[in-house]
Amino acid sequence: MGFSIEMPEKGGAVVGVRGNLVPAAVDCWFTSYGQSIPRMVKFQGEEGEICRIRNFWVQDFESLHLAGTPLWKYTCRGESDGRVLRFCLYFYPEDGIWKIVFG
């Protein structure tokens, strides 16, 4: 599934989200300076199991807009069961919702 727009509202980049957006529960630390640092992710796997990723780091952070809606994108890399995982976390600050996309 993918979305995109032509013009952002008030700063931020135009974004197109590609891949399957999966709802996620994220343990995130917000510093006193307003910086956000995701620390753990839980999501439902393809077979209905609850999956958890703890050992990961944020490689890049972007503040974007999707159809005029603010969106924070965290490009992450981590390890789970001996495999290297590359994924993006998307946070919708107006709704307080997290999504994860692999690949």
Side-chain angles (χ1 to χ4, degrees):
M1 177 189 312
F3 301 97
S4 67
I5 60 171
E6 294 181 16
M7 298 292 293
E9 288 183 15
K10 296 183 181 179
V14 176
V15 63
V17 178
R18 295 180 186 252
N20 186 21
L21 289 168
V22 177
V26 177
D27 176 17
C28 186
W29 176 41
F30 290 88
T31 68
S32 60
Y33 298 104
Q35 182 183 6
S36 55
I37 304 169
R39 301 186 306 178
M40 183 184 64
V41 181
K42 286 186 179 181
F43 59 95
Q44 191 169 10
E46 293 177 1
E47 298 177 8
E49 75 280 11
I50 300 298
C51 303
R52 179 175 62 187
I53 305 172
R54 275 193 176 178
N55 299 321
F56 71 94
W57 58 96
V58 177
Q59 293 181 309
D60 190 33
F61 169 80
E62 297 177 79
S63 179
L64 307 167
H65 284 83
L66 177 66
T69 303
L71 175 69
W72 299 352
K73 178 183 178 184
Y74 301 84
T75 304
C76 304
R77 184 176 178 173
E79 295 181 18
S80 179
D81 298 327
R83 298 179 305 155
V84 175
L85 299 173
R86 290 184 178 93
F87 58 95
C88 291
L89 291 173
Y90 293 95
F91 179 62
Y92 300 84
E94 289 183 349
D95 301 322
I97 295 172
W98 289 89
K99 305 271 182 162
I100 189 170
V101 174
F102 289 95

